[in-house]
Amino acid sequence: MVPQENDIDENDRDDADENNVNMVPQEINMDENDRNENDDNMMEDDLFQPGEEENVADILETVALFIANMKASSVPYSFIQRVITEVELLVVTIVKHLQAGVDDLVREIKDKSFPDEAKCDNVLGEFVKWQRPFRDLKTQHQQDKYFEGRGVLVKPSEVVLGETYVTQVDNSTGRVQQVQKQDTYQYIPLETLLRAHLEQPGVMKAILDQSASKDKDVLETYRDGSYFQSKVNDREDILIPLLLYNDDFEAGNPLGSKKGVNKLSMFYLSVLCLPKRFQASLNNILLIASAQSNIVAKYCIDNVLTKLVEDFKKLYETGLTIHCEDYSGVVRPFLFQVIGDNLGLHQLLGYCCSFSANYPCRFCKVSKEILHRKTNDDGLIWRDEANFAEDLAIGDVSQTGIKRSSILNELTSFHVTDNKAPDVMHDFLEGIMPFEIKLTLNSLIEDGQITLQELNSRIASFNYGFVDKKNRPSPIQPSALRTPQGPSGQKAAQVKCLAFYLPLILADSVEETSEHWELFLLLLDIYKIVTAPSISLQGTYFLKALLQDHHQLFLQLYEDRRLTPKHHFILHYPKLIRILGPLEQYSSMRKEGKHKCFKRWARACNNYQNIAKTVSIRHQQEQSYYFLMRDPLGCDMNIKNQVPVEISSLPEAELVSSSLRCPVSTVIVLAENIEIQSYELRPNCMVLIQWTDDGPKYAEVKHILVWKGKVYVILKHWTATHFNRQRHAFVVEESHQPLIVKQLCELLSWRPLHRLKCHGEDQVSWYIIPTFNLV
């Protein structure tokens, strides 16, 4: 398997030794004479021929230099390991090819005394031919030409926006002079990129297998929302809905003197009709354009989107012809939604970029005076194409909240008022959640229920399990509590971890009658419904009631405070879910994760003359590798420490044999753990297998098995007896039901869960914190 982008720890370095347990030399009992005689025989059989020892040393030195050269570069150890694996595979392929020819020659020599001299020369010629296996792919030009010929490298084109003057030193005279420099951005041709992606094995099959929910009262994907259904109507062609994501990040040192100079604006595309588990893979998030942020600000974002809009128009009108194993014909890609953070969306869609403006909402026409006290979305005027045109004609952003008409409005299939995708991550995890956590903690500290020192001590010592230990919250600073609406000092994943575990961390300290604590629990209820993979139509109205209760209680408890714009945005969520389906599929968290590779390339190249071009080329070169591998739906799975065992050796032999429908003498693979989509499953962790009307069904992983390329887990049932609201977790106990075997894809969620106990007197009950709630 291809190593993941995490640095390899010492356990991973020993994987090869642990996997090849059958090759470990066994201890042999023999007396001293036997040992001496055996050593003499080995010396006679294994002596190096003249010059062979020197050749081996030369090879070892060359290999050592190769590895040392890679380690001297700015690449992670995981990438070095990947290169070693791929080179080893290449050498094995070459050796097998040569070995086949030599085997034929040896057999012929055995059959007759005089072998065919021409055949001998051909075999020797093969050795000479493959002495330089990289000779046709030695230069960057040769590599790019080969990959483009295979149709796997889609090179970015440089689009000129204008010219500017910069100062430059003339090396011959030493004088400083002004020279013209072109302002450009990088664009990857949409048609070529989508064709290469959709023609990958299994992609079209996965798309064609998707369907709407069987239960019309349950929303599971975008297909169940009213917006997509209005697009389909009676169309018979295959629609490919695409998500466009835009965000800025600092490619250089964010604290250095060049801060802001190397800031990049990235545009990504993702295919929404792929199954959810494949959308999470960074390889399926496609780069479509990149530019330096100062150039975008100078020429307006609409000019950067011109080429993309032209390609969208063409593809929607004429369609995209693809030919692959699963489908040959025309598909019709179209822009479905634009996603990103609130500020980026307002900038791209043409709305006012100040959230203290008179009309700060992109969904409705509420004024800021009403917004600060409004606890539901009843009576609000939603923005549509008609009133957008009227407001645009007024030409006053202070009266309408609209700055300009976006170039996206030129698309036949899209208008900015159709863009209903919210920013769940920033609304909650970088907005309301840390704000209200700090307000709640302030009230608990003021009431004497806990001190800040004790709170930080509990946060630091709490058992988050292997699942969430990397997201362990940082200590809460007094300065953060003094400014609740200021920076939290936590990343979004840390805020989420803190919010989920805080009820168990403070279980014995918080009074059950505390209204401040009830406000926080209401917020958790809302977040876990919003981020659920599915929701019923009735559940959206339940969510609306929860939002109203939460906002009313907030205004009641904090009379000196007002509801923020993000408080207002989430009032629209129930209706947005009915329009678009579950909102988790529009989350920008995974898209932000893709910035990491661009930052790494920028640091490794250390060339900021045209940083957008540098990182775009590197990305497309990496993309060509995955296209060439022809495994886009591999789910980023990495199975570690695999040991072949006979089913009869397992305690659950009969269960495994009957579940896999094979005899107990069958040899299968027992895995120690499995990494999939940044999650790690291992024995003794808990998983969610299904959710019924009675609540969630949990199970403990006993073993992980691999057979015929499929991953199975042996599970032990645990029963959720009831939901403890004060701790916001399910109380679970071990069930006496028999063990079961399930395929990994049959689980409701791949995310491993942590079974734990909480602070306080109750050290008997086991709790599992649900990551979402199905209503």
Side-chain angles (χ1 to χ4, degrees):
M1 300 299 296
V2 177
Q4 302 300 305
E5 291 296 329
N6 300 319
D7 287 341
I8 300 174
D9 57 23
E10 291 300 321
N11 295 330
D12 295 333
R13 298 180 198 277
D14 298 332
D15 283 350
D17 296 335
E18 294 176 7
N19 292 339
N20 296 299
V21 291
N22 295 329
M23 299 180 65
V24 177
Q26 302 297 314
E27 185 176 350
I28 302 176
N29 295 323
M30 59 177 73
D31 59 26
E32 198 65 32
N33 294 330
D34 292 335
R35 284 199 181 98
N36 293 336
E37 182 179 353
N38 190 50
D39 291 343
D40 292 338
N41 292 335
M42 291 175 62
M43 289 294 290
E44 291 176 3
D45 295 338
D46 298 338
L47 274 175
F48 287 115
Q49 298 300 319
E52 185 174 348
E53 187 171 0
E54 290 81 4
N55 291 336
V56 171
D58 289 342
I59 294 174
L60 289 176
E61 183 178 359
T62 303
V63 172
L65 286 172
F66 175 74
I67 296 175
N69 190 24
M70 286 194 297
K71 287 192 173 183
S73 61
S74 302
V75 294
Y77 287 148
S78 58
F79 181 78
I80 295 175
Q81 189 64 33
R82 187 170 75 184
V83 172
I84 293 172
T85 302
E86 297 294 331
V87 171
E88 185 179 17
L89 177 62
L90 175 63
V91 173
V92 168
T93 304
I94 294 174
V95 170
K96 285 184 178 179
H97 173 71
L98 298 176
Q99 185 180 6
V102 174
D103 287 345
D104 291 341
L105 181 60
V106 171
R107 283 194 295 270
E108 188 172 340
I109 291 175
K110 290 180 179 180
D111 294 340
K112 57 185 180 180
S113 302
F114 302 99
D116 187 345
E117 291 187 6
K119 195 169 186 178
C120 291
D121 292 340
N122 288 337
V123 172
L124 294 176
E126 287 291 305
F127 280 93
V128 175
K129 175 182 177 182
W130 290 106
Q131 282 181 357
R132 296 175 59 201
F134 294 99
R135 69 177 181 274
D136 294 330
L137 294 171
K138 190 172 183 179
T139 66
Q140 187 66 52
H141 174 73
Q142 289 175 320
Q143 294 167 11
D144 289 349
K145 184 177 179 181
Y146 172 78
F147 290 132
E148 286 185 87
R150 291 290 304 271
V152 295
L153 176 61
V154 186
K155 296 185 72 172
S157 60
E158 195 164 27
V159 182
V160 178
L161 291 172
E163 294 180 342
T164 188
Y165 285 93
V166 296
T167 57
Q168 184 176 339
V169 178
D170 189 337
N171 293 330
S172 59
T173 63
R175 293 179 178 177
V176 178
Q177 56 187 5
Q178 281 191 330
V179 295
Q180 274 191 339
K181 178 184 176 183
Q182 291 181 332
D183 291 330
T184 64
Y185 72 95
Q186 305 299 310
Y187 177 71
I188 292 85
L190 178 61
E191 182 177 354
T192 309
L193 179 65
L194 278 181
R195 181 179 289 110
H197 183 59
L198 295 177
E199 289 182 349
Q200 289 290 297
V203 172
M204 282 306 300
K205 184 179 186 303
I207 291 175
L208 296 174
D209 288 345
Q210 295 295 295
S211 60
S213 173
K214 297 179 180 178
D215 188 344
K216 294 183 178 181
D217 293 329
V218 176
L219 303 165
E220 294 180 347
T221 69
Y222 70 96
R223 293 176 178 271
D224 303 314
S226 60
Y227 180 66
F228 179 77
Q229 292 172 2
S230 68
K231 293 289 182 183
V232 177
N233 293 328
D234 297 326
R235 299 181 70 102
E236 296 181 358
D237 49 357
I238 298 175
L239 295 176
I240 306 294
L242 301 174
L243 296 179
L244 174 63
Y245 172 82
N246 170 240
D247 191 26
D248 291 8
F249 69 89
E250 182 62 62
N253 182 1
L255 301 177
S257 59
K258 297 294 184 69
K259 181 182 69 172
V261 176
N262 299 313
K263 193 174 185 180
L264 291 177
S265 183
M266 310 301 289
F267 298 83
Y268 305 145
L269 278 181
S270 61
V271 179
L272 185 59
C273 50
L274 277 175
K276 294 178 184 177
R277 61 183 182 274
F278 300 135
Q279 291 182 44
S281 172
L282 295 181
N283 299 330
N284 292 325
I285 301 174
L286 309 175
L287 173 67
I288 190 64
S290 66
Q292 289 187 254
S293 298
N294 54 10
I295 291 180
V296 175
K298 179 179 179 180
Y299 292 96
C300 183
I301 197 170
D302 285 347
N303 289 315
V304 179
L305 293 174
T306 300
K307 295 284 291 184
L308 178 61
V309 169
E310 290 175 358
D311 284 354
F312 266 128
K313 288 180 182 178
K314 177 183 175 183
L315 290 180
Y316 190 75
E317 292 172 2
T318 63
L320 176 65
T321 302
I322 59 173
H323 299 285
C324 60
E325 183 178 341
D326 301 312
Y327 177 81
S328 291
V330 177
V331 297
R332 202 168 301 276
F334 71 102
L335 179 61
F336 187 72
Q337 291 286 289
V338 181
I339 60 176
D341 60 49
N342 289 310
L343 181 60
L345 285 173
H346 278 236
Q347 178 187 7
L348 197 151
L349 300 176
Y351 295 108
C352 178
C353 295
S354 171
F355 296 103
S356 60
N358 292 335
Y359 296 89
C361 183
R362 65 181 179 276
F363 303 116
C364 72
K365 300 181 63 174
V366 67
S367 64
K368 67 177 181 181
E369 291 80 10
I370 298 176
L371 176 148
H372 292 316
R373 312 300 297 180
K374 187 72 172 172
T375 60
N376 58 53
D377 65 343
D378 294 340
L380 298 177
I381 301 175
W382 279 66
R383 296 189 185 273
D384 56 30
E385 193 168 349
N387 60 40
F388 182 91
E390 294 173 358
D391 290 343
L392 190 64
I394 295 174
D396 187 351
V397 65
S398 64
Q399 297 183 36
T400 63
I402 297 175
K403 291 181 66 176
R404 71 180 199 285
S405 178
S406 170
I407 193 174
L408 297 178
N409 290 333
E410 297 178 9
L411 296 173
T412 307
S413 60
F414 183 86
H415 190 271
V416 295
T417 55
D418 296 331
N419 204 86
K420 305 298 185 185
D423 180 16
V424 176
M425 183 186 79
H426 291 89
D427 284 347
F428 278 97
L429 302 182
E430 295 187 0
I432 303 171
M433 194 78 77
F435 172 48
E436 295 196 5
I437 285 177
K438 287 185 280 187
L439 290 177
T440 301
L441 293 178
N442 275 330
S443 66
L444 296 179
I445 293 172
E446 290 173 3
D447 292 343
Q449 299 183 43
I450 196 170
T451 65
L452 180 59
Q453 182 179 1
E454 182 183 359
L455 172 64
N456 283 328
S457 176
R458 290 191 178 192
I459 290 175
S461 62
F462 194 76
N463 177 20
Y464 299 93
F466 75 93
V467 180
D468 289 310
K469 64 180 180 181
K470 61 182 179 181
N471 297 322
R472 181 193 303 270
S474 303
I476 299 174
Q477 302 299 325
S479 58
L481 294 182
R482 287 195 295 268
T483 55
Q485 286 190 280
S488 65
Q490 316 273 355
K491 296 180 179 179
Q494 290 179 297
V495 172
K496 182 178 178 180
C497 180
L498 177 62
F500 280 15
Y501 284 95
L502 199 58
L504 290 178
I505 293 174
L506 300 179
D508 61 326
S509 299
V510 179
E511 298 175 359
E512 295 189 9
T513 57
S514 171
E515 290 188 324
H516 293 88
W517 188 249
E518 175 62 22
L519 179 71
F520 171 66
L521 295 181
L522 276 173
L523 185 62
L524 274 182
D525 289 335
I526 293 167
Y527 179 76
K528 292 183 180 181
I529 293 176
V530 166
T531 57
S534 65
I535 184 173
S536 66
L537 287 174
Q538 184 179 359
T540 63
Y541 294 100
F542 174 66
L543 175 61
K544 179 179 179 178
L546 282 179
L547 285 163
Q548 183 166 348
D549 291 344
H550 170 271
H551 284 35
Q552 288 177 346
L553 183 57
F554 179 90
L555 293 174
Q556 176 185 332
L557 294 176
Y558 305 104
E559 296 180 353
D560 58 332
R561 294 188 178 274
R562 302 177 300 179
L563 295 173
T564 66
K566 290 181 178 179
H567 277 114
H568 172 75
F569 294 158
I570 66 174
L571 287 179
H572 296 304
Y573 279 19
K575 187 172 183 178
L576 297 181
I577 293 173
R578 293 193 291 271
I579 294 173
L580 297 177
L583 300 181
E584 184 65 12
Q585 57 194 327
Y586 307 102
S587 173
S588 59
M589 181 174 285
R590 194 59 177 159
K591 308 294 188 300
E592 278 196 7
K594 195 172 177 70
H595 296 339
K596 184 179 179 180
C597 62
F598 290 98
K599 295 177 183 178
R600 187 178 67 246
W601 288 324
R603 290 193 300 268
C605 296
N606 197 28
N607 180 1
Y608 294 93
Q609 291 298 316
N610 191 342
I611 187 62
K613 183 176 182 178
T614 299
V615 297
S616 297
I617 291 175
R618 288 294 297 267
H619 177 273
Q620 293 309 109
Q621 289 172 345
E622 185 195 53
Q623 191 79 62
S624 67
Y625 169 78
Y626 292 107
F627 281 167
L628 196 62
M629 289 286 290
R630 300 185 68 76
D631 186 27
L633 304 183
C635 290
D636 298 336
M637 185 183 296
N638 185 15
I639 305 172
K640 292 186 175 181
N641 302 341
Q642 305 178 51
V643 179
V645 297
E646 194 172 281
I647 291 179
S648 58
S649 65
L650 299 174
E652 307 86 0
E654 293 185 6
L655 171 66
V656 174
S657 175
S658 61
S659 300
L660 302 185
R661 298 180 181 178
C662 60
V664 293
S665 59
T666 303
V667 176
I668 61 175
V669 172
L670 188 67
E672 182 176 314
N673 55 44
I674 176 173
E675 290 181 357
I676 180 167
Q677 293 180 0
S678 75
Y679 296 136
E680 182 182 358
L681 279 177
R682 60 172 69 171
N684 300 322
C685 75
M686 305 296 290
V687 291
L688 177 62
I689 55 177
Q690 62 177 332
W691 196 299
T692 67
D693 294 338
D694 297 328
K697 304 297 180 184
Y698 296 109
E700 178 185 358
V701 176
K702 306 299 291 183
H703 297 292
I704 301 173
L705 311 175
V706 183
W707 189 60
K708 290 187 176 181
K710 297 180 180 179
V711 180
Y712 297 82
V713 283
I714 301 178
L715 301 171
K716 179 176 180 59
H717 285 284
W718 279 68
T719 303
T721 59
H722 65 280
F723 181 74
N724 187 318
R725 177 164 172 75
Q726 186 71 3
R727 291 161 173 75
H728 221 270
F730 284 98
V731 179
V732 295
E733 59 183 25
E734 195 171 354
S735 173
H736 299 293
Q737 298 181 43
L739 300 178
I740 59 173
V741 176
K742 282 185 173 290
Q743 278 193 50
L744 194 62
C745 60
E746 295 178 311
L747 302 179
L748 182 60
S749 173
W750 288 345
R751 188 189 192 280
L753 300 170
H754 180 39
R755 185 181 71 243
L756 72 164
K757 296 181 179 180
C758 64
H759 281 284
E761 299 177 358
D762 185 5
Q763 290 294 325
V764 178
S765 300
W766 288 100
Y767 295 92
I768 291 181
I769 300 173
T771 57
F772 56 81
N773 185 18
L774 298 184
V775 294

